[in-house]
Amino acid sequence: QLVASVADDMGVNESQAATLLRHAKWDADHLQRMYTQDMDSLFRKAGVALDGGAGSSAAAVGPLPTDDTDTKDGSGGSAPVMTCMVCFDEAPDTPATALALACGHKFCVTCWRDNLINVVRTGGAGGQSCLDTTCMWSGCKLVVGEDTFMRLLDAEVASMYQRVRLLSFVDDNSSICWCPATDCQEAVALNTRAGGGDVGGGGSADEGTVGGGKPVGVVCRKGHHFCFACRGDSHAPISCAEHRAWDRKVQEKQGVDGKMTKLDDVKVRASSLILYEVIPSHSSHGGASKRNE
């Protein structure tokens, strides 16, 4: 829905919209601001063509043709021949055998497919994500959009690509995070538009507000409570820094048997210590009982 909404607002296709959103860390409001301030700069930095046509893959609209007639030109004669600058083989210059993105750099479909399969399975150059894959022409910064991947990949590899994009929606998104509980795979989305603290989708907020370094207590759908800001146990109203300082002191004073030794010399602000002691623990994934002993 987010991708479709951005595509409609900006007059681009959904493949382009997804690339633009990822460039903006999946923040639609931030993307809209960049779009308003300097559309040309935004598209250039995101690696999206400003042609208003078929997007990142201008020649990649619909499935690849497979009929033998696609090796011929419109009059029934032989199609012109192109030389792929990756494998240096010659191939008929037809939609079935040659492909160019909006930049116009054309390569044979076989090289395109092999390259995209490789970046999905092993990652791009320098360990970059397959979502950052660009045109194979040296120096070209045009990002290969989802439409091209879906057009050229088989179902198995296409599914791997879609999973990477789904993970990016969480990993690269400042308003969504994974639950830090062991073996929990739930994600929690923080609804920052609601003025702080409200969480939509995979969880809910139970304390704190967003921004200013303040803690934000959230709970995932499996009931694990944690601070959205620092990913530690819920600790509002004390700050994340105070919580970490207290954690360090607790670990320093913890005996080999796991029990706490005397804490008279713990140098933390008195207010922090009092607040910490009266706040009930919400965590269900380790450590909380030790802190309350």
Side-chain angles (χ1 to χ4, degrees):
Q1 292 179 346
L2 178 63
V3 172
S5 175
V6 167
D8 185 58
D9 291 344
M10 296 188 174
V12 297
N13 63 40
E14 292 192 7
S15 180
Q16 290 174 306
T19 301
L20 290 168
L21 276 166
R22 183 166 182 270
H23 175 71
K25 304 298 183 184
W26 299 98
D27 186 333
D29 292 335
H30 180 48
L31 176 60
Q32 186 61 51
R33 288 192 294 271
M34 291 192 292
Y35 181 82
T36 302
Q37 291 169 1
D38 192 338
M39 181 180 67
D40 290 351
S41 176
L42 167 63
F43 276 58
R44 184 177 63 256
K45 291 177 180 179
V48 174
L50 253 176
D51 60 355
S56 61
S57 45
V61 181
L64 284 171
T66 57
D67 196 296
D68 290 341
T69 58
D70 289 304
T71 62
K72 301 180 181 297
D73 61 21
S75 63
S78 297
V81 174
M82 57 83 65
T83 300
C84 175
M85 298 307 293
V86 173
C87 64
F88 294 101
D89 285 345
E90 291 186 344
D93 191 0
T94 69
T97 54
L99 178 67
L101 303 184
C103 55
H105 300 133
K106 189 173 290 185
F107 305 93
C108 72
V109 166
T110 299
C111 285
W112 267 117
R113 182 179 287 112
D114 290 346
N115 178 60
L116 298 187
I117 290 174
N118 182 62
V119 297
V120 171
R121 291 189 178 279
T122 65
Q128 71 178 6
S129 168
C130 63
L131 303 177
D132 296 318
T133 303
T134 57
C135 170
M136 292 188 290
W137 189 269
S138 177
C140 184
K141 302 299 184 182
L142 193 67
V143 172
V144 181
E146 181 184 14
D147 51 359
T148 304
F149 277 92
M150 295 300 102
R151 184 181 188 228
L152 295 177
L153 302 181
D154 59 35
E156 178 188 359
V157 184
S159 177
M160 294 170 62
Y161 173 85
Q162 290 176 321
R163 175 169 174 76
V164 172
R165 197 180 82 162
L166 177 62
L167 292 175
S168 168
F169 185 70
V170 178
D171 295 337
D172 299 329
N173 196 327
S174 61
S175 63
I176 302 178
C177 74
W178 297 107
C179 175
T182 304
D183 298 326
C184 184
Q185 298 183 9
E186 295 292 326
V188 174
L190 199 65
N191 184 8
T192 56
R193 294 185 181 183
D198 293 334
V199 174
S204 60
D206 54 22
E207 59 189 43
T209 58
V210 179
K214 296 181 180 179
V216 185
V218 297
V219 56
C220 78
R221 286 183 296 189
K222 290 188 177 180
H224 302 129
H225 293 251
F226 62 96
C227 173
F228 190 94
C230 69
R231 310 296 194 263
D233 297 317
S234 292
H235 56 78
I238 65 170
S239 70
C240 297
E242 291 169 331
H243 173 64
R244 286 191 293 269
W246 174 253
D247 243 2
R248 287 194 296 270
K249 291 301 181 181
V250 168
Q251 291 172 11
E252 291 171 3
K253 292 297 180 178
Q254 192 172 19
V256 293
D257 58 355
K259 295 183 178 181
M260 298 299 298
T261 58
K262 192 173 181 181
L263 284 172
D264 292 343
D265 59 341
V266 173
K267 299 184 182 303
V268 295
R269 288 190 344 202
S271 59
S272 299
L273 181 59
I274 294 171
L275 285 170
Y276 195 95
E277 289 179 337
V278 300
I279 293 174
S281 170
H282 294 298
S283 174
S284 60
H285 50 91
S289 60
K290 296 176 183 177
R291 295 191 185 98
N292 292 325
E293 288 181 6

